């Protein structure tokens, strides 16, 4: 009897270890492919193959779900008893933890384990014994095959020499158009941005991450300058030129500029990381207002960002007392939006039925959000975290919100004891709706916001996105005063639209008719009619026309279409035009010396 029990225990242990290994193998395969796609950022930059760079980014996003599905299928086929026995999973989790010692991506592997376990287990087992509610393995002080960052010492080696070594250290197979000029510009920018009375301290150094960051048409050297207790960002954007060369475009040492570069409204970087947690810690040191959620998402590790966000939400709920309530602003026709005032995010659910004149389906709306997830958001589309089966305490929901959930989204909710379980939800960073912002803005703020509203539409168009519904309530203002679009149920590709002029009226009756006197097909767009969507106030409209009158002409939109179809994506820079070196320094100008 004792031997039989001992044999059974040994068999269970072997099976638990084998299941844990299968999950880890699935993750290792995922992360190996993730790094392969990330490495394509370099080759695409060198070849100026922007279409392939976009494809690699999309394939990298889709790869996670594919690897999870493969792993779940393998476990059910090879270990059917373990798959059907929830009691085995606490042991499998312990076995999995043992395999993560010194693993370079332990935190991401734990998230992958959760994804697999949650596909296999029923919802009642989403507990800390079965899945990783908290991280089990520390990722501090992990060492990879190469150092995470490199250090340079301008005080002893000279500033210009240090800058030269940084620029050439990444081995890009693209020549600089004028390396001497770029070095002079960089040196001058460093000297100009020093504080008055600056003095080199014994620890004066420049540290740069070992891998380049690639996004859109740019490559970024990301680092920090340290001098005494002062620590500031040090980011160098590299841009390709049409003649096959590259140049340094500017130097970013301002935290705000770097924060916008890593904004939630931009697509994910392609960057090769052996130890992602170390990369995130480095970035937090130069962007202390960012969270790990933001940075893991920006590095393309959206699932890890989702895990961290959910932990953050649960922690916040335990340490707050305010209630979920309907979000302020104009109610949406397609989405039910609510918020927790003390938490800087909004929660968006697709309604069961859409208010007229909306005619799209629930699945079409989900596809629109998927389009945004896979697209370059160029700083003008809010990123979303998509969840299933999110549970929140019933006693933290305002009665008016509960009524709205029952009336408008009953098909997506379920009461489970003292919790409300939401079957499908999107979560976005909270922004102030543009119409609300303008209502309380100063004269200067108003002018800047109106101008940036037009810039937002331009940038979206340059990225092949037509917003569809361009009402101000569908745009938000970030803490950096940037205007961002966040209502996706009517977006489409610019190349799918047919931009037309309104034909002249045939007679007075045509002019007075409530219905168009001309035929309108499904994809027809008439920019001349945009005015009322933009601004009803004459003064606001005049400000808008001063900067963006061409947005109300079909010719401008057609020219954008032609560039996109010709494979010429727009140059969209995540920093102000005025700080680009071409606008600041004349070729050949020497920097001022200390």
């Amino acid at each position: 009897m004792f031997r039989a029990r001992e044999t059974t225990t040994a068999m269970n242990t072997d099976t638990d270890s084998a299941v844990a290994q299968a999950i880890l193998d699935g993750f290792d395969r995922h992360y190996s492919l993730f790094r392969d796609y990330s490495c394509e950022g370099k080759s695409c930059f060198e070849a100026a193959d922007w279409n392939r760079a976009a494809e690699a980014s999309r394939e990298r996003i889709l790869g996670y779900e594919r690897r999870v599905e493969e792993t779940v299928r393998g476990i059910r086929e090879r270990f059917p008893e373990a798959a059907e026995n929830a009691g085995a999973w606490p042991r499998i989790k312990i076995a999995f933890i043992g395999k993560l010692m010194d693993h370079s991506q332990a935190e991401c592997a734990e998230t992958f384990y959760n994804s697999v376990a949650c596909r296999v287990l029923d919802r009642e087992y989403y507990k800390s014994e079965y899945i990783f509610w908290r991280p089990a393995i520390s990722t501090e002080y992990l060492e990879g095959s190469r150092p995470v960052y490199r250090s340079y010492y301008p005080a002893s080696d000279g500033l210009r020499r240090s800058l030269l070594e940084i620029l050439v250290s990444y081995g890009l197979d693209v020549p600089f158009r004028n390396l001497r000029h770029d070095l002079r510009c960089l040196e001058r920018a460093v000297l100009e941005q020093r504080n008055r009375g600056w003095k080199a301290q014994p620890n004066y150094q420049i540290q740069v991450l070992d891998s380049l960051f690639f996004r859109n048409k740019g490559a970024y050297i990301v680092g920090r300058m340290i001098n005494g207790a002062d620590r500031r960002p040090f980011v160098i954007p590299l841009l390709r030129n049409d003649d096959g060369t590259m140049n340094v475009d500017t130097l970013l040492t301002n935290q705000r500029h770097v924060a916008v570069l890593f904004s939630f409204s931009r697509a994910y970087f392609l960057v090769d990381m052996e130890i992602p947690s170390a990369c995130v810690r480095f970035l937090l040191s130069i962007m202390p207002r960012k969270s790990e959620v933001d940075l893991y998402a920006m590095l393309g590790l959206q699932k890890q960002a989702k895990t961290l966000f959910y932990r953050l939400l649960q922690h916040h709920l335990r340490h707050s007392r305010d209630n979920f309530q309907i979000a302020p602003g104009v109610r949406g026709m397609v989405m039910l939006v609510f918020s927790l005032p003390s938490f800087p995010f909004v929660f968006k659910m697709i309604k069961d039925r859409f208010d007229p004149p909306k005619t799209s389906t629930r699945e079409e709306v989900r596809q629109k959000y998927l389009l945004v997830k896979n697209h370059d958001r160029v700083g003008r589309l809010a990123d979303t975290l998509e969840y299933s089966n999110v549970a929140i305490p019933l006693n933290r929901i305002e009665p008016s919100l509960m009524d709205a959930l029952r009336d408008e989204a009953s098909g997506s909710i379920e009461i489970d004891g003292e919790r409300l379980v939401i079957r499908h939800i999107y979560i976005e960073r909270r922004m102030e709706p543009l119409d609300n912002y303008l209502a309380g803005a100063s004269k200067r703020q108003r002018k800047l916001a109106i101008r940036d509203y037009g810039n937002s539409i331009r940038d979206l168009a340059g990225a092949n996105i037509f917003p569809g519904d361009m009402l101000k309530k569908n745009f938000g203002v970030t803490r950096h005063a940037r205007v961002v679009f966040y209502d996706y149920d009517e977006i489409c590709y610019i190349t799918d639209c047919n931009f037309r002029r309104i034909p002249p009226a045939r007679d007075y009756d045509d002019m007075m008719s409530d219905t168009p006197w001309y035929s309108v097909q499904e994809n027809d767009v008439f920019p001349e009619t945009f005015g009322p969507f933009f601004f009803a106030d004459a003064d606001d409209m005049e400000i808008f026309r001063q900067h963006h009158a061409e947005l109300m002409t079909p010719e401008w939109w057609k020219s954008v279409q032609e560039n996109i179809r010709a494979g010429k994506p727009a140059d969209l820079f995540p920093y102000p035009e005025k700080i680009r070196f071409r606008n600041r320094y004349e070729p050949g100008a020497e920097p001022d010396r200390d």
Side-chain angles (χ1 to χ4, degrees):
M1 185 72 174
F2 176 79
R3 286 184 178 179
R5 186 180 298 114
E6 188 177 66
T7 301
T8 301
T9 301
M11 290 176 60
N12 286 340
T13 302
D14 290 344
T15 301
D16 299 340
S17 179
V19 174
Q21 188 62 51
I23 298 174
L24 186 58
D25 289 344
F27 170 76
D28 287 342
R29 172 168 164 72
H30 154 67
Y31 200 76
S32 175
L33 292 170
F34 179 92
R35 292 187 70 180
D36 288 344
Y37 287 127
S38 299
C39 287
E40 285 198 59
K42 182 174 185 288
S43 59
C44 290
F45 180 83
E46 292 171 335
D49 190 349
W50 315 126
N51 289 334
R52 176 54 199 164
E55 289 173 5
S57 183
R58 286 192 293 270
E59 290 170 6
R60 191 178 68 165
I61 293 169
L62 296 172
Y64 185 91
E65 285 299 323
R66 291 170 179 165
R67 302 294 86 77
V68 170
E69 290 173 4
E70 288 174 2
T71 305
V72 170
R73 187 165 58 249
I75 289 173
R76 285 175 171 158
E77 291 173 356
R78 294 172 55 200
F79 311 103
E81 292 184 4
E84 296 175 4
N85 178 16
W89 284 83
R91 301 193 306 269
I92 294 171
K93 178 186 172 185
I94 292 172
F96 190 80
I97 292 172
K99 297 176 184 296
L100 292 183
M101 299 301 176
D102 297 324
H103 195 286
S104 297
Q105 305 92 33
E107 79 282 19
C108 300
E110 290 176 352
T111 290
F112 190 88
Y113 173 97
N114 284 354
S115 297
V116 172
C118 290
R119 300 285 176 89
V120 176
L121 298 169
D122 292 329
R123 193 173 69 221
E124 64 180 293
Y125 296 105
Y126 295 0
K127 303 173 183 177
S128 58
E129 308 99 280
Y130 299 86
I131 61 176
F132 290 93
W133 275 94
R134 294 176 297 277
I137 300 293
S138 171
T139 57
E140 293 189 66
Y141 304 114
L142 284 173
E143 296 291 342
S145 58
R146 293 168 59 95
V148 174
Y149 61 86
R150 304 188 298 270
S151 299
Y152 299 84
Y153 303 94
S156 58
D157 299 338
L159 177 58
R160 189 177 295 192
R161 181 176 182 82
S162 295
L163 295 172
L164 172 62
E165 290 178 353
I166 290 170
L167 288 181
V168 302
S169 65
Y170 293 94
L172 284 169
D173 190 20
V174 184
F176 284 90
R177 174 184 284 174
N178 189 337
L179 181 57
R180 187 184 298 274
H181 173 248
D182 288 346
L183 283 170
R184 284 196 294 261
C185 292
L186 273 175
E187 185 179 20
R188 185 170 182 175
V190 170
L191 297 177
E192 287 178 350
Q193 294 175 31
R194 288 175 175 172
N195 298 327
R196 184 182 296 274
W198 184 93
K199 181 181 178 181
Q201 301 298 316
N203 67 337
Y204 175 41
Q205 60 189 291
I206 300 173
Q207 299 173 344
V208 295
L209 286 167
D210 185 58
S211 297
L212 286 166
F213 286 54
F214 298 93
R215 185 166 63 191
N216 200 357
K217 297 166 68 175
Y220 300 87
I221 298 171
V222 179
R224 59 195 176 196
M225 287 193 296
I226 298 174
N227 189 50
D230 183 44
R231 178 177 295 184
R232 64 177 59 191
F234 180 87
V235 178
I236 302 175
L238 305 174
L239 297 185
R240 283 297 311 268
N241 301 310
D242 293 337
D243 61 3
T245 64
M246 67 178 175
N247 66 277
V248 173
D249 198 46
T250 190
L251 172 67
L252 305 178
T253 61
N254 181 292
Q255 276 196 5
R256 180 179 182 276
H257 293 158
V258 176
V260 170
L261 171 65
F262 284 86
S263 164
F264 64 88
S265 57
R266 295 189 182 277
Y268 315 118
F269 284 100
L270 292 171
V271 51
D272 182 32
M273 300 170 291
E274 183 178 3
I275 305 178
S277 58
C279 186
V280 168
R281 276 194 299 275
F282 187 99
L283 293 172
L284 284 172
S285 74
I286 60 174
M287 293 177 286
R289 294 188 65 180
K290 293 286 185 184
S291 70
E292 289 187 343
V293 176
D294 300 323
L295 295 175
Y296 271 103
M298 284 301 96
L299 295 170
L301 296 166
Q302 307 96 315
K303 292 295 182 179
Q304 184 63 21
K306 286 178 62 175
T307 295
L308 293 171
F309 174 85
Y310 197 72
R311 290 171 180 165
L312 181 67
L313 173 61
Q314 297 304 317
H315 179 81
H316 185 83
L317 286 172
R318 288 180 62 87
H319 296 84
S320 61
R321 292 184 296 160
D322 56 333
N323 292 335
F324 290 95
Q325 56 187 245
I326 296 174
V330 179
R331 298 284 186 90
M333 298 180 182
V334 171
M335 308 295 283
L336 173 61
V337 184
F338 61 95
S339 65
L340 188 67
S342 62
F343 199 56
F345 294 85
V346 294
F347 303 78
K348 303 172 70 172
M349 298 173 60
I350 304 174
K351 292 182 178 181
D352 294 338
R353 299 170 301 280
F354 303 156
D355 299 336
K358 300 289 186 179
T359 59
S360 53
T361 66
R362 183 183 186 86
E363 181 55 31
E364 287 172 342
V365 174
R366 293 188 68 163
Q367 289 303 313
K368 300 291 186 182
Y369 275 80
L370 184 61
L371 183 157
V372 172
K373 179 180 179 181
N374 293 331
H375 201 80
D376 186 353
R377 296 189 301 282
V378 297
R380 300 298 186 176
L381 293 168
D383 193 18
T384 58
L385 298 174
E386 184 178 7
Y387 288 88
S388 299
N389 296 321
V390 173
I392 57 178
L394 279 171
N395 64 359
R396 298 291 296 274
I397 302 174
E398 290 286 340
S400 58
L401 172 59
M402 196 69 232
D403 291 342
L405 288 167
R406 289 193 176 106
D407 293 342
E408 302 175 23
S410 61
S412 298
I413 63 173
E414 174 187 345
I415 305 296
D416 182 6
E418 297 180 352
R419 304 179 302 170
L420 175 75
V421 178
I422 301 173
R423 296 193 181 98
H424 183 253
I425 194 168
Y426 298 100
I427 301 174
E428 293 176 0
R429 178 74 64 174
R430 185 166 61 208
M431 292 175 278
E432 185 172 7
L434 178 58
D435 52 350
N436 289 3
Y437 178 86
L438 291 174
S442 67
K443 187 175 181 179
R444 182 176 182 275
Q445 288 173 328
R446 193 175 191 86
K447 285 184 177 180
L448 292 174
I450 290 172
R451 182 174 183 177
D452 202 50
Y453 170 55
N455 289 337
S456 180
I457 295 170
R458 286 178 182 273
D459 291 350
L460 289 172
N464 197 19
I465 291 291
F466 182 64
D469 192 343
M470 290 185 283
L471 292 172
K472 295 185 291 297
K473 70 181 181 67
N474 297 327
F475 290 77
V477 181
T478 72
R479 63 185 175 90
H480 297 297
R482 286 179 60 83
V483 177
V484 172
F485 188 65
Y486 53 59
D487 192 330
Y488 304 147
D489 59 276
E490 289 193 14
I491 67 169
C492 64
Y493 294 118
I494 289 283
T495 47
D496 290 341
C497 298
N498 180 31
F499 295 99
R500 295 175 52 192
R501 275 202 174 275
I502 298 175
R506 294 164 299 187
D507 50 37
Y508 180 78
D509 289 340
D510 278 353
M511 296 175 61
M512 301 304 295
S513 174
D514 292 334
T515 58
W517 60 86
Y518 45 89
S519 63
V520 180
Q521 302 301 317
E522 182 178 357
N523 293 327
D524 285 349
V525 180
F526 299 90
E528 294 162 278
T529 66
F530 289 172
F533 289 95
F534 292 152
F535 296 99
D537 181 87
D539 292 338
D540 289 346
M541 193 64 210
E542 180 57 30
I543 296 171
F544 186 84
R545 284 184 183 279
Q546 289 175 10
H547 302 286
H548 305 295
E550 61 267 41
L551 296 185
M552 291 174 281
T553 67
E555 289 76 17
W556 184 85
W557 293 91
K558 288 180 179 179
S559 69
V560 173
Q561 281 182 323
E562 291 171 5
N563 286 334
I564 293 170
R565 288 170 178 157
K568 299 176 181 178
D571 292 322
L572 303 169
F573 303 107
Y575 40 83
E577 176 71 21
K578 65 182 180 182
I579 71 171
R580 299 180 65 194
F581 285 165
R582 70 175 191 175
N583 298 320
R584 298 186 64 206
Y585 306 131
E586 292 293 329
E590 286 290 339
D592 297 329
R593 299 288 179 180
D594 276 3

